[in-house]
Amino acid sequence: MAVPAVLQNLRIPLIGSPLFIISNPDLVLAQCKAGVVGSFPALNAREKEGEEIELEKWLVRINEELDAHNQANPDRPAAPYAVNQIVHRTNARLERDVELCVKHKVPVWITSLGAQEWVYEAAHSVGAIVLHDIINDTFARKAISKGADGLIAVAAGAGGHAGALSPFALVQEIREWFDGPLYLSGAIAKGDSILAAQAMGADGGYAGSCFIATEEANAVAGYKEMITRSGASDIVYSNLFTGVWGNYLKPSIANAGMDPDQLETADPSKMNFGSGEGSKGKRWKDIWGSGQGIGRVKEILPAAKLIDRLAAEYDAAQERLCGQVKRAS
């Protein structure tokens, strides 16, 4: 199956993953204008009781600014954007947020923590495509059977909520039965990794942690700086903070007064995404998620410059491999 039209003609085959709290309209717009898919969790857009709906304001702004960019740059149109919906029974906002995404015709939907037919049907009613993130082949089959158009394979090493399977194994198993859109998440922080994802059988990469250390990201300075100073050995895998297994920065856990090598295991039945804060809420607001690929992140940059680097690395990797094939033949 060919890549859906909405995901064709990207500068590089990359989706910027939706980062809890961190992804905002500034980051999404910068990503899209630089030629990769930008995304954000719907739950990031919050308002106090009685205020205008923040998600609607975000969607209006993104649609208007991308339309203006495309009119001013017909030879360099922006990539589409995506909204992430947490399809979990504790997400009390889900129905309202789905209605808003239908109203404003969000082109790409990313669903997590639950596969529901009615959500997929809502997206399809306005011509959108839905990518569902999964950590194993069983969940992948379930999502496609319920109507998802494509998958995001969240492999070992991904930031935030992540699986434990090798990307080689996960992509291989999915490609045995599924030929639709497939994007790989897990330590994608260099252009070479995007090309490697394609070589394994995915249609592109899915990257989040490298975008935390960008000027537009809604992350505190200490978080961004910690990303630039850390590497794979500074990551710990735990389900303590949300009830779902994920990767986190060890120094942030130590700063919170805990031993990152002696963390307890949480009860996954206590997960609660009613406010978008996981099971522990604000208690863990200074525990920072990150994937294992951050050793490549050395400085805080505008998102457009980061994408410039990724694109240059991607092109260089292609040239290098083409040269190796020619020499071998």
Side-chain angles (χ1 to χ4, degrees), residues 52-66:
E52 292 183 53
I53 297 175
E54 192 70 12
L55 177 58
E56 184 148 40
K57 290 161 64 176
W58 284 22
L59 294 175
V60 168
R61 179 189 168 192
I62 290 170
N63 281 330
E64 289 181 347
E65 289 198 26
L66 291 182

Side-chain angles (χ1 to χ4, degrees), residues 196-228:
Q198 290 181 292
M200 280 190 277
D203 293 299
Y206 188 80
S209 298
C210 58
F211 285 104
I212 297 171
T214 58
E215 293 179 0
E216 296 87 352
N218 182 36
V220 296
Y223 191 175
K224 296 181 182 184
E225 292 166 1
M226 190 177 290
I227 290 283
T228 66

Side-chain angles (χ1 to χ4, degrees), residues 17 179 242:
S17 66
D179 65 354
T242 67

Side-chain angles (χ1 to χ4, degrees), residues 251-271:
S252 72
I253 297 171
N255 289 345
M258 293 177 284
D259 182 349
D261 297 316
Q262 299 292 330
L263 296 175
E264 63 184 274
T265 300
D267 179 355
S269 68
K270 304 300 183 183
M271 286 190 297

Side-chain angles (χ1 to χ4, degrees), residues 108-137:
V108 181
W109 297 28
I110 298 170
T111 51
S112 307
L113 297 176
Q116 294 286 342
E117 293 177 359
W118 72 270
V119 176
Y120 301 144
E121 290 169 358
H124 295 155
S125 73
V126 289
I129 68 162
V130 185
L131 305 175
H132 187 76
D133 71 8
I134 54 88
I135 60 171
N136 59 43
D137 187 67

Side-chain angles (χ1 to χ4, degrees), residues 15-280:
I15 297 173
S17 66
L19 302 164
F20 177 56
I21 297 178
I22 293 164
S23 297
N24 59 11
D26 289 341
L27 179 57
V28 170
L29 286 165
Q31 290 170 320
C32 293
K33 290 176 183 179
V36 306
V37 177
S39 71
F40 68 91
L43 289 172
N44 276 11
R46 307 177 190 181
E47 69 281 338
K48 295 179 181 179
E49 187 174 352
E51 294 180 342
E52 292 183 53
I53 297 175
E54 192 70 12
L55 177 58
E56 184 148 40
K57 290 161 64 176
W58 284 22
L59 294 175
V60 168
R61 179 189 168 192
I62 290 170
N63 281 330
E64 289 181 347
E65 289 198 26
L66 291 182
D67 182 61
H69 172 89
N70 292 342
Q71 291 187 45
N73 302 276
D75 58 335
R76 190 173 51 84
Y81 72 98
V83 174
N84 172 222
Q85 300 285 4
I86 303 299
V87 187
H88 191 268
R89 57 182 172 75
T90 60
N91 181 5
R93 276 182 39 178
L94 180 60
E95 186 173 346
R96 186 203 76 174
D97 290 351
V98 164
E99 290 176 356
L100 286 171
C101 287
V102 168
K103 176 182 177 181
H104 293 281
K105 298 182 178 180
V106 173
V108 181
W109 297 28
I110 298 170
T111 51
S112 307
L113 297 176
Q116 294 286 342
E117 293 177 359
W118 72 270
V119 176
Y120 301 144
E121 290 169 358
H124 295 155
S125 73
V126 289
I129 68 162
V130 185
L131 305 175
H132 187 76
D133 71 8
I134 54 88
I135 60 171
N136 59 43
D137 187 67
T138 299
F139 289 156
R141 290 176 184 269
K142 181 178 179 180
I144 296 302
S145 72
K146 288 182 174 291
D149 302 290
L151 300 166
I152 297 162
V154 186
H161 296 157
L165 294 178
S166 159
F168 293 97
L170 186 54
V171 171
Q172 174 182 280
E173 290 188 359
I174 292 169
R175 278 302 188 218
E176 287 183 356
W177 59 271
F178 181 65
D179 65 354
L182 175 61
Y183 291 81
L184 178 63
S185 172
I188 305 288
K190 191 175 181 182
D192 307 53
S193 302
I194 302 169
L195 187 62
Q198 290 181 292
M200 280 190 277
D203 293 299
Y206 188 80
S209 298
C210 58
F211 285 104
I212 297 171
T214 58
E215 293 179 0
E216 296 87 352
N218 182 36
V220 296
Y223 191 175
K224 296 181 182 184
E225 292 166 1
M226 190 177 290
I227 290 283
T228 66
R229 299 194 306 266
S230 301
S233 62
D234 297 303
I235 305 300
V236 65
Y237 191 57
S238 172
N239 81 335
L240 174 62
F241 308 109
T242 67
V244 181
W245 287 94
N247 286 308
Y248 300 90
L249 285 161
K250 285 185 178 181
S252 72
I253 297 171
N255 289 345
M258 293 177 284
D259 182 349
D261 297 316
Q262 299 292 330
L263 296 175
E264 63 184 274
T265 300
D267 179 355
S269 68
K270 304 300 183 183
M271 286 190 297
N272 187 340
F273 294 89
S275 63
E277 295 175 338
S279 62
K280 300 295 183 181

